[in-house]
Amino acid sequence: MLKVENLYKNFGKVNAVDGVSFEVKKGDVFGLLGPNGAGKSTTISMISTLLAPSSGEILYDGKSIFDNQKSVRQRLGVVPQEIALYPTLSGYENLRFWGSIYGLKGSELKNRIEEVSDIIELNGRLKDRVDKYSGGMKRRLNIGAALLHMPEMLIMDEPTVGIDPQSRNHILDTVLKLNNQGITIIYTSHYMEEVEYLCNKVCIMDEGKIIASGSQDELVEMIREKTQINVRLNRVDGLISEKLKEIKGVSDARISDDTVVLHGDNADTLLADIALKVSENGMFIKSIDVKKPNLEAVFLHLTGKALRD
């Protein structure tokens, strides 16, 4: 559906986007995950035809998006990171304005506003001025404006920044509902937990480059040996960590107070062997805590820094 090939964007001597390539297939919820300044917003600005690349190509259904920008824009919905609303107008007036920009009018526009207000759940507040809205309500109206023309693909740039947890959860659930209705989603975020919740495919960006891509399982597989297992015992001695290291798949074991901290390939296959080895050494397990690797750990492994550093 969308193919980005060797994309560059330079601002003077700064390479904001540095040779980025990826593909988004119909039906995907595609995540661009990376810290602020990674190049995510610049990348989607080019996909949205709002910014011309320095070099590279962006294809939509096999054709360059820059050959017929007007047609491409009709097929895309864009939710920018900055709120794109008129604060002195009501919610309804904002939706009517943005719908008219997409060529909607009359009963068609009225019906779409009603449908979209159901999706974003602002029916009872559309008559109010936007400057009376909470941050979460503004974000939801921002999404509604991008849905009026029934886009095939929705591009969302950090849509939950600066809002309360309840509004955030509403937006995340709305994304999944829209995807279930057939809309392909590109979702940028520096919140690992959002991308894990939403996305079936992820590209991790840092300093303008794609440093890893794939499904969540494929990305986590890169560091599967980083699974941490904390085994709290009734007692410990200096030998138990060495005995646990003998288990195939355990890469490291160290003692911390009454707990042995292990790292291994796959906790699901190691737990039985750990329990047996502990029993053979005359001890018993009081508790086990397994910390499986996630996208945050992948980013830390690849870059040496946390996503929100």
Side-chain angles (χ1 to χ4, degrees), residues 72-208:
V72 170
R73 288 173 182 169
Q74 286 288 337
R75 302 170 72 179
L76 301 179
V78 180
V79 182
Q81 185 172 344
E82 299 298 326
I83 300 293
L85 302 169
Y86 292 97
T88 59
L89 298 180
S90 69
Y92 187 91
E93 288 168 336
N94 269 277
L95 292 178
R96 187 173 61 190
F97 170 79
W98 288 111
S100 67
I101 294 295
Y102 286 109
L104 302 175
K105 55 186 177 181
S107 60
E108 182 184 17
L109 175 56
K110 181 181 178 182
N111 290 338
R112 278 304 294 160
I113 290 175
E114 290 177 357
E115 292 168 1
V116 165
S117 63
D118 284 339
I119 294 171
I120 60 177
E121 297 183 8
L122 286 178
N123 312 64
R125 297 295 302 273
L126 284 185
K127 294 181 180 180
D128 297 344
R129 282 173 37 145
V130 167
D131 56 10
K132 305 297 183 184
Y133 282 11
S134 67
M137 291 169 64
K138 291 175 183 176
R139 289 283 176 190
R140 285 150 60 185
L141 189 64
N142 218 33
I143 294 171
L147 294 173
L148 288 164
H149 60 300
M150 301 179 70
E152 299 173 342
M153 177 180 287
L154 186 64
I155 300 172
M156 310 182 77
D157 189 11
E158 303 271 8
T160 65
V161 169
I163 62 173
D164 62 275
Q166 184 178 357
S167 295
R168 180 187 183 199
N169 291 337
H170 181 275
I171 287 175
L172 297 181
D173 290 342
T174 299
V175 171
L176 293 179
K177 289 177 184 177
L178 292 170
N179 182 246
N180 288 334
Q181 293 170 12
I183 297 178
T184 302
I185 312 283
I186 297 178
Y187 191 96
T188 84
S189 182
H190 63 276
Y191 295 124
M192 173 272 298
E193 60 272 19
E194 291 187 359
V195 172
E196 286 189 326
Y197 181 69
L198 293 173
C199 301
N200 66 299
K201 187 174 181 183
V202 181
C203 276
I204 300 178
M205 287 192 74
D206 189 44
E207 297 181 354

Side-chain angles (χ1 to χ4, degrees), residues 2 4 7 22 24 30 32 40-51 58 60 65-66 72-73 76 78 153 155 186:
L2 179 79
V4 175
L7 196 65
F22 58 81
V24 181
F30 179 92
L32 274 179
K40 306 185 303 295
S41 294
T42 303
T43 298
I44 65 170
S45 291
M46 290 186 281
I47 294 171
S48 307
T49 75
L50 301 175
L51 192 64
I58 304 172
Y60 193 93
I65 66 171
F66 299 104
V72 170
R73 288 173 182 169
L76 301 179
V78 180
M153 177 180 287
I155 300 172
I186 297 178

Side-chain angles (χ1 to χ4, degrees), residues 196 199-202 213-224 292-295 298:
E196 286 189 326
C199 301
N200 66 299
K201 187 174 181 183
V202 181
S213 64
S215 69
Q216 293 187 44
D217 288 343
E218 289 168 343
L219 291 172
V220 169
E221 180 69 15
M222 296 169 58
I223 59 165
R224 63 191 178 97
K292 293 187 177 182
N294 56 22
L295 296 179
V298 174

